[in-house]
PDB file of all heavy atoms in Angstrom:
ATOM      1  N   ASP P 299      17.903  33.684  12.039  1.00  0.00           N
ATOM      2  CA  ASP P 299      16.755  32.788  11.905  1.00  0.00           C
ATOM      3  C   ASP P 299      16.344  32.637  10.439  1.00  0.00           C
ATOM      4  O   ASP P 299      15.959  31.539  10.013  1.00  0.00           O
ATOM      5  CB  ASP P 299      15.584  33.326  12.713  1.00  0.00           C
ATOM      6  CG  ASP P 299      14.426  32.342  12.768  1.00  0.00           C
ATOM      7  OD1 ASP P 299      14.597  31.247  13.325  1.00  0.00           O
ATOM      8  OD2 ASP P 299      13.348  32.671  12.232  1.00  0.00           O
ATOM      9  N   SER P 300      16.406  33.709   9.668  1.00  0.00           N
ATOM     10  CA  SER P 300      16.044  33.599   8.255  1.00  0.00           C
ATOM     11  C   SER P 300      17.057  32.739   7.502  1.00  0.00           C
ATOM     12  O   SER P 300      16.689  31.940   6.634  1.00  0.00           O
ATOM     13  CB  SER P 300      15.952  34.993   7.619  1.00  0.00           C
ATOM     14  OG  SER P 300      17.194  35.654   7.647  1.00  0.00           O
ATOM     15  N   TYR P 301      18.346  32.878   7.835  1.00  0.00           N
ATOM     16  CA  TYR P 301      19.375  32.044   7.199  1.00  0.00           C
ATOM     17  C   TYR P 301      19.162  30.571   7.552  1.00  0.00           C
ATOM     18  O   TYR P 301      19.161  29.702   6.674  1.00  0.00           O
ATOM     19  CB  TYR P 301      20.764  32.502   7.650  1.00  0.00           C
ATOM     20  CG  TYR P 301      21.893  31.629   7.109  1.00  0.00           C
ATOM     21  CD1 TYR P 301      22.466  31.908   5.878  1.00  0.00           C
ATOM     22  CD2 TYR P 301      22.363  30.540   7.839  1.00  0.00           C
ATOM     23  CE1 TYR P 301      23.490  31.118   5.372  1.00  0.00           C
ATOM     24  CE2 TYR P 301      23.376  29.738   7.345  1.00  0.00           C
ATOM     25  CZ  TYR P 301      23.934  30.035   6.114  1.00  0.00           C
ATOM     26  OH  TYR P 301      24.943  29.240   5.611  1.00  0.00           O
ATOM     27  N   ARG P 302      18.962  30.286   8.852  1.00  0.00           N
ATOM     28  CA  ARG P 302      18.772  28.897   9.292  1.00  0.00           C
ATOM     29  C   ARG P 302      17.527  28.293   8.664  1.00  0.00           C
ATOM     30  O   ARG P 302      17.543  27.134   8.205  1.00  0.00           O
ATOM     31  CB  ARG P 302      18.640  28.868  10.817  1.00  0.00           C
ATOM     32  CG  ARG P 302      18.368  27.490  11.410  1.00  0.00           C
ATOM     33  CD  ARG P 302      17.857  27.601  12.836  1.00  0.00           C
ATOM     34  NE  ARG P 302      16.617  28.357  12.909  1.00  0.00           N
ATOM     35  CZ  ARG P 302      15.424  27.838  12.666  1.00  0.00           C
ATOM     36  NH1 ARG P 302      15.301  26.565  12.319  1.00  0.00           N
ATOM     37  NH2 ARG P 302      14.336  28.585  12.766  1.00  0.00           N
ATOM     38  N   THR P 303      16.440  29.057   8.604  1.00  0.00           N
ATOM     39  CA  THR P 303      15.192  28.551   8.033  1.00  0.00           C
ATOM     40  C   THR P 303      15.341  28.284   6.544  1.00  0.00           C
ATOM     41  O   THR P 303      14.793  27.293   6.026  1.00  0.00           O
ATOM     42  CB  THR P 303      14.053  29.550   8.282  1.00  0.00           C
ATOM     43  OG1 THR P 303      13.950  29.816   9.686  1.00  0.00           O
ATOM     44  CG2 THR P 303      12.734  29.002   7.788  1.00  0.00           C
ATOM     45  N   ALA P 304      16.063  29.144   5.827  1.00  0.00           N
ATOM     46  CA  ALA P 304      16.275  28.932   4.394  1.00  0.00           C
ATOM     47  C   ALA P 304      17.034  27.636   4.144  1.00  0.00           C
ATOM     48  O   ALA P 304      16.710  26.872   3.224  1.00  0.00           O
ATOM     49  CB  ALA P 304      17.022  30.118   3.791  1.00  0.00           C
ATOM     50  N   VAL P 305      18.050  27.362   4.954  1.00  0.00           N
ATOM     51  CA  VAL P 305      18.812  26.116   4.817  1.00  0.00           C
ATOM     52  C   VAL P 305      17.906  24.916   5.070  1.00  0.00           C
ATOM     53  O   VAL P 305      17.909  23.935   4.307  1.00  0.00           O
ATOM     54  CB  VAL P 305      20.013  26.113   5.785  1.00  0.00           C
ATOM     55  CG1 VAL P 305      20.685  24.741   5.801  1.00  0.00           C
ATOM     56  CG2 VAL P 305      21.015  27.188   5.394  1.00  0.00           C
ATOM     57  N   ASP P 306      17.105  24.970   6.142  1.00  0.00           N
ATOM     58  CA  ASP P 306      16.203  23.857   6.456  1.00  0.00           C
ATOM     59  C   ASP P 306      15.176  23.638   5.354  1.00  0.00           C
ATOM     60  O   ASP P 306      14.874  22.489   4.978  1.00  0.00           O
ATOM     61  CB  ASP P 306      15.483  24.131   7.778  1.00  0.00           C
ATOM     62  CG  ASP P 306      16.403  24.000   8.980  1.00  0.00           C
ATOM     63  OD1 ASP P 306      17.492  23.419   8.827  1.00  0.00           O
ATOM     64  OD2 ASP P 306      16.036  24.492  10.068  1.00  0.00           O
ATOM     65  N   MET P 307      14.617  24.722   4.829  1.00  0.00           N
ATOM     66  CA  MET P 307      13.593  24.586   3.794  1.00  0.00           C
ATOM     67  C   MET P 307      14.179  24.043   2.496  1.00  0.00           C
ATOM     68  O   MET P 307      13.484  23.349   1.741  1.00  0.00           O
ATOM     69  CB  MET P 307      12.895  25.926   3.583  1.00  0.00           C
ATOM     70  CG  MET P 307      12.028  26.334   4.762  1.00  0.00           C
ATOM     71  SD  MET P 307      11.195  27.928   4.572  1.00  0.00           S
ATOM     72  CE  MET P 307      10.028  27.552   3.278  1.00  0.00           C
ATOM     73  N   ASN P 308      15.438  24.345   2.212  1.00  0.00           N
ATOM     74  CA  ASN P 308      16.086  23.736   1.047  1.00  0.00           C
ATOM     75  C   ASN P 308      16.170  22.223   1.204  1.00  0.00           C
ATOM     76  O   ASN P 308      15.958  21.471   0.244  1.00  0.00           O
ATOM     77  CB  ASN P 308      17.488  24.321   0.857  1.00  0.00           C
ATOM     78  CG  ASN P 308      17.464  25.723   0.295  1.00  0.00           C
ATOM     79  OD1 ASN P 308      16.447  26.188  -0.211  1.00  0.00           O
ATOM     80  ND2 ASN P 308      18.581  26.417   0.394  1.00  0.00           N
ATOM     81  N   HIS P 309      16.487  21.748   2.410  1.00  0.00           N
ATOM     82  CA  HIS P 309      16.535  20.310   2.661  1.00  0.00           C
ATOM     83  C   HIS P 309      15.153  19.683   2.487  1.00  0.00           C
ATOM     84  O   HIS P 309      15.016  18.612   1.868  1.00  0.00           O
ATOM     85  CB  HIS P 309      17.047  20.044   4.078  1.00  0.00           C
ATOM     86  CG  HIS P 309      18.468  20.458   4.279  1.00  0.00           C
ATOM     87  ND1 HIS P 309      19.016  20.684   5.536  1.00  0.00           N
ATOM     88  CD2 HIS P 309      19.480  20.705   3.394  1.00  0.00           C
ATOM     89  CE1 HIS P 309      20.277  21.032   5.408  1.00  0.00           C
ATOM     90  NE2 HIS P 309      20.575  21.061   4.123  1.00  0.00           N
ATOM     91  N   HIS P 310      14.130  20.341   3.009  1.00  0.00           N
ATOM     92  CA  HIS P 310      12.767  19.814   2.872  1.00  0.00           C
ATOM     93  C   HIS P 310      12.325  19.817   1.405  1.00  0.00           C
ATOM     94  O   HIS P 310      11.579  18.912   0.984  1.00  0.00           O
ATOM     95  CB  HIS P 310      11.795  20.635   3.718  1.00  0.00           C
ATOM     96  CG  HIS P 310      11.853  20.329   5.177  1.00  0.00           C
ATOM     97  ND1 HIS P 310      11.364  19.159   5.715  1.00  0.00           N
ATOM     98  CD2 HIS P 310      12.366  21.032   6.226  1.00  0.00           C
ATOM     99  CE1 HIS P 310      11.555  19.146   7.023  1.00  0.00           C
ATOM    100  NE2 HIS P 310      12.164  20.272   7.364  1.00  0.00           N
ATOM    101  N   TYR P 311      12.767  20.803   0.642  1.00  0.00           N
ATOM    102  CA  TYR P 311      12.403  20.839  -0.778  1.00  0.00           C
ATOM    103  C   TYR P 311      12.976  19.628  -1.511  1.00  0.00           C
ATOM    104  O   TYR P 311      12.272  18.992  -2.321  1.00  0.00           O
ATOM    105  CB  TYR P 311      12.924  22.133  -1.413  1.00  0.00           C
ATOM    106  CG  TYR P 311      12.883  22.103  -2.925  1.00  0.00           C
ATOM    107  CD1 TYR P 311      11.681  22.274  -3.610  1.00  0.00           C
ATOM    108  CD2 TYR P 311      14.047  21.899  -3.669  1.00  0.00           C
ATOM    109  CE1 TYR P 311      11.639  22.235  -4.994  1.00  0.00           C
ATOM    110  CE2 TYR P 311      14.010  21.865  -5.050  1.00  0.00           C
ATOM    111  CZ  TYR P 311      12.806  22.026  -5.710  1.00  0.00           C
ATOM    112  OH  TYR P 311      12.768  21.982  -7.079  1.00  0.00           O
ATOM    113  N   LEU P 312      14.241  19.309  -1.257  1.00  0.00           N
ATOM    114  CA  LEU P 312      14.859  18.162  -1.922  1.00  0.00           C
ATOM    115  C   LEU P 312      14.142  16.862  -1.569  1.00  0.00           C
ATOM    116  O   LEU P 312      13.941  15.991  -2.430  1.00  0.00           O
ATOM    117  CB  LEU P 312      16.336  18.080  -1.539  1.00  0.00           C
ATOM    118  CG  LEU P 312      17.210  19.262  -1.994  1.00  0.00           C
ATOM    119  CD1 LEU P 312      18.627  19.112  -1.454  1.00  0.00           C
ATOM    120  CD2 LEU P 312      17.224  19.376  -3.505  1.00  0.00           C
ATOM    121  N   LEU P 313      13.727  16.724  -0.312  1.00  0.00           N
ATOM    122  CA  LEU P 313      12.979  15.540   0.086  1.00  0.00           C
ATOM    123  C   LEU P 313      11.585  15.525  -0.535  1.00  0.00           C
ATOM    124  O   LEU P 313      11.087  14.474  -0.954  1.00  0.00           O
ATOM    125  CB  LEU P 313      12.883  15.484   1.615  1.00  0.00           C
ATOM    126  CG  LEU P 313      14.201  15.257   2.364  1.00  0.00           C
ATOM    127  CD1 LEU P 313      13.992  15.434   3.863  1.00  0.00           C
ATOM    128  CD2 LEU P 313      14.770  13.880   2.062  1.00  0.00           C
ATOM    129  N   ALA P 314      10.936  16.685  -0.602  1.00  0.00           N
ATOM    130  CA  ALA P 314       9.592  16.763  -1.181  1.00  0.00           C
ATOM    131  C   ALA P 314       9.609  16.414  -2.669  1.00  0.00           C
ATOM    132  O   ALA P 314       8.676  15.769  -3.169  1.00  0.00           O
ATOM    133  CB  ALA P 314       9.009  18.162  -0.968  1.00  0.00           C
ATOM    134  N   ARG P 315      10.655  16.832  -3.384  1.00  0.00           N
ATOM    135  CA  ARG P 315      10.751  16.478  -4.805  1.00  0.00           C
ATOM    136  C   ARG P 315      10.863  14.973  -4.990  1.00  0.00           C
ATOM    137  O   ARG P 315      10.298  14.402  -5.930  1.00  0.00           O
ATOM    138  CB  ARG P 315      11.964  17.180  -5.434  1.00  0.00           C
ATOM    139  CG  ARG P 315      11.774  18.644  -5.749  1.00  0.00           C
ATOM    140  CD  ARG P 315      10.689  18.852  -6.796  1.00  0.00           C
ATOM    141  NE  ARG P 315      11.032  18.278  -8.075  1.00  0.00           N
ATOM    142  CZ  ARG P 315      11.471  18.979  -9.123  1.00  0.00           C
ATOM    143  NH1 ARG P 315      11.637  20.283  -9.005  1.00  0.00           N
ATOM    144  NH2 ARG P 315      11.734  18.382 -10.268  1.00  0.00           N
ATOM    145  N   ARG P 316      11.576  14.302  -4.092  1.00  0.00           N
ATOM    146  CA  ARG P 316      11.720  12.852  -4.200  1.00  0.00           C
ATOM    147  C   ARG P 316      10.413  12.139  -3.842  1.00  0.00           C
ATOM    148  O   ARG P 316      10.069  11.116  -4.443  1.00  0.00           O
ATOM    149  CB  ARG P 316      12.837  12.371  -3.277  1.00  0.00           C
ATOM    150  CG  ARG P 316      14.214  12.893  -3.651  1.00  0.00           C
ATOM    151  CD  ARG P 316      15.303  12.303  -2.793  1.00  0.00           C
ATOM    152  NE  ARG P 316      15.427  10.856  -3.007  1.00  0.00           N
ATOM    153  CZ  ARG P 316      16.332  10.095  -2.412  1.00  0.00           C
ATOM    154  NH1 ARG P 316      17.192  10.630  -1.556  1.00  0.00           N
ATOM    155  NH2 ARG P 316      16.381   8.802  -2.658  1.00  0.00           N
TER     156      ARG P 316
END
Side-chain angles (χ1 to χ4, degrees):
D299 188 64
S300 63
Y301 176 88
R302 177 197 60 82
T303 304
V305 171
D306 288 344
M307 291 179 69
N308 285 345
H309 294 160
H310 283 288
Y311 166 77
L312 296 175
L313 293 171
R315 283 297 296 258
R316 296 185 65 178

